[in-house]
Amino acid sequence: MDPLSDAIRKSGADAFVMYASSRDADMRYLTRFTTSDPFVYFKKPGENGVIIISQMETGRASRESPAAIMTRAEAGLPELLKKEKDPLQATAKMIAGQTGGHILVPPQFPVGLAQALGEVCTVSVDKGTVPSLRAKKTKPEIALMKEVQKITETAMGKAVALIRESKPKKGILYSNDKPLTAEQVKYTMHCHLLEHGCTAVDTIVSCGEDTAIPHMTGTGPLKADEPIVIDLFPVNEKTGYYADMTRTVVKGEPSRGIREMYDALREAKQLGISRVKSGVPGPDVHQAVVDFFAERGYESDTRGFIHNLGHGVGLQVHELPTVGPAGKKLAAGNVITIEPGLYYPGTGGVRLEDIGAVTAKGFDKFTQFSEELVL
């Protein structure tokens, strides 16, 4: 079964075409080739894909990619550039010359190139075939993601250890006689990740009032007796696969409100996990947690639980499937997060996030890290 070939045939197109660098998750998935420069990928129904790249990249591409390799010279680009002043027009004619008069492109295809292609062939837009393919992970992909998660948890452990070992002075946490900052905690985690071939951006280490804003990245000294939300989602640079996890901790004595929110949060996460298995609609899993929070007196609108229960993870940190109102049925091989959170301005916020694979029987949880609140 080849869903991409089926999509091409159903659209009436001659080929599927992408133009992007490997930073585009769909391109990396289809080609397994890594480069910061954009290149062409095309696939005709029932045939293997082909990538068109510069001569200097052919040796590396032949090692990395299962696709057939064609140089830009072989595709006729140098000759076209002699005739065309506009590089986009030349590229469009090169693509049309290899693919035919009707092509299917993904929604993120560059607009300028699509317009140039529209002058030489018919262009149709696909409705998400490749992201849907990516959503179902193979056993080797799941193994790669489990390895990233192990590294992530070790980095998280270093962050928690820093906070645990800190000393409160006048409401501020100190480490080695200096205020312990969000930046220092992030730096410690990022260094560990780099040592193990991973990188992370937009890491969250928020504290106190900032924790009521889910994606506030956090800055400055960390406070005693206040919630500290640590959300870490690194990528393995070699494989391109992500992991994702969140923990909330307090050094000192949390308020009663934070304790009660956290107790409800742990139960909500376990409830969500217990509802996961293939064939179950993502919206149903999300709604079960919404209903649970409502029974505990927590809202799910402009405050309280204000985001989806989870999301897919893979070559992007946020991808299909959605575990929320807009989601569809979960399928075996989906790798998702379950991450309930509660956010109240004036009180603070708490969030827990685990990652795992959907199976026919339930949820294969990758996350093995402690849920300890008070350090």
Side-chain angles (χ1 to χ4, degrees):
M1 181 179 177
D2 181 357
L4 189 51
S5 288
D6 290 344
I8 298 167
R9 292 189 184 99
K10 287 178 181 177
S11 70
D14 298 304
F16 176 83
V17 177
M18 288 196 69
Y19 182 77
S21 74
S22 55
R23 291 191 178 97
D24 184 298
D26 288 355
M27 182 66 99
R28 185 156 189 177
Y29 178 80
L30 291 171
T31 69
R32 301 298 171 179
F33 178 56
T34 57
T35 178
S36 57
D37 295 321
F39 61 102
V40 174
Y41 168 89
F42 70 88
K43 174 182 170 61
K44 296 180 179 180
E47 298 181 10
N48 290 332
V50 179
I51 59 177
I52 304 176
I53 54 174
S54 66
Q55 178 65 44
M56 67 178 293
E57 293 284 22
T58 56
R60 189 166 64 86
S62 64
R63 292 187 180 186
E64 292 183 6
S65 180
I69 312 299
M70 178 183 292
T71 67
R72 292 169 184 165
E74 291 170 334
L77 184 60
E79 293 302 314
L80 288 166
L81 287 169
K82 291 176 182 178
K83 302 173 185 178
E84 292 287 348
K85 293 182 179 180
D86 184 353
L88 282 179
Q89 292 289 342
T91 301
K93 288 184 177 180
M94 177 192 73
I95 292 170
Q98 297 299 322
T99 59
H102 186 177
I103 65 170
L104 183 66
V105 301
Q108 71 271 27
F109 196 84
V111 173
L113 183 55
Q115 289 177 334
L117 278 162
E119 296 180 14
V120 294
C121 65
T122 301
V123 179
S124 298
V125 180
D126 184 53
K127 296 183 178 180
T129 301
V130 182
S132 294
L133 287 172
R134 287 174 32 223
K136 294 183 181 180
K137 308 301 188 292
T138 63
K139 288 183 179 180
E141 287 178 296
I142 288 173
L144 290 174
M145 296 185 71
K146 285 182 175 181
E147 285 301 312
V148 184
Q149 180 60 26
K150 288 179 182 178
I151 296 166
T152 304
E153 292 189 22
T154 307
M156 180 70 74
K158 291 183 177 294
V160 171
L162 266 179
I163 297 167
R164 187 191 305 276
E165 294 162 9
S166 66
K167 305 296 181 183
K169 295 180 183 180
K170 298 181 179 180
I172 300 296
L173 299 181
Y174 278 74
S175 177
N176 297 322
D177 297 320
K178 294 180 180 180
L180 178 61
T181 64
E183 289 83 356
Q184 183 180 349
V185 175
K186 293 176 195 178
Y187 176 80
T188 298
M189 290 191 291
H190 289 177
C191 285
H192 178 80
L193 292 170
L194 284 169
E195 290 172 355
H196 292 81
C198 298
T199 58
V201 297
D202 298 327
T203 299
I204 294 170
V205 180
S206 63
C207 182
E209 181 70 16
D210 285 350
T211 60
I213 304 173
H215 282 171
M216 181 67 75
T217 56
T219 186
L222 301 178
K223 300 175 182 179
D225 308 320
E226 296 282 355
I228 301 170
V229 173
I230 308 171
D231 190 343
L232 184 61
F233 38 98
V235 60
N236 182 294
E237 289 190 312
K238 183 177 180 180
T239 69
Y241 285 94
Y242 281 82
D244 195 3
M245 70 177 295
T246 304
R247 287 296 183 263
T248 301
V249 296
V250 176
K251 174 66 176 182
E253 185 61 32
S255 68
R256 179 179 175 180
I258 291 296
R259 278 190 179 276
E260 290 177 348
M261 287 163 58
Y262 192 78
D263 289 344
L265 190 73
R266 291 187 67 180
E267 289 188 48
K269 181 168 72 69
Q270 192 54 46
L271 172 63
I273 287 172
S274 72
R275 296 296 179 92
V276 170
K277 67 177 180 179
S278 62
V280 173
D284 290 0
V285 182
H286 173 86
Q287 189 62 43
V289 171
V290 170
D291 294 343
F292 169 82
F293 278 139
E295 291 171 2
R296 290 295 191 94
Y298 297 110
E299 301 97 330
S300 295
D301 43 49
T302 59
R303 62 180 195 165
F305 182 37
I306 58 176
H307 53 67
N308 289 338
L309 179 61
H311 55 85
V313 184
L315 290 171
Q316 291 176 295
V317 71
H318 294 105
E319 61 178 43
L320 294 177
T322 297
V323 189
K328 298 180 180 180
K329 286 184 178 181
L330 300 175
N334 292 156
V335 173
I336 62 171
T337 64
I338 297 295
E339 52 174 305
L342 291 170
Y343 312 93
Y344 286 92
T347 301
V350 292
R351 183 165 69 253
L352 288 170
E353 179 181 26
D354 288 349
I355 185 174
V358 178
T359 72
K361 296 182 179 180
F363 188 61
D364 175 17
K365 188 160 71 82
F366 304 167
T367 312
Q368 302 298 321
F369 200 84
S370 167
E371 297 176 4
E372 182 180 17
L373 174 64
V374 179
L375 303 180

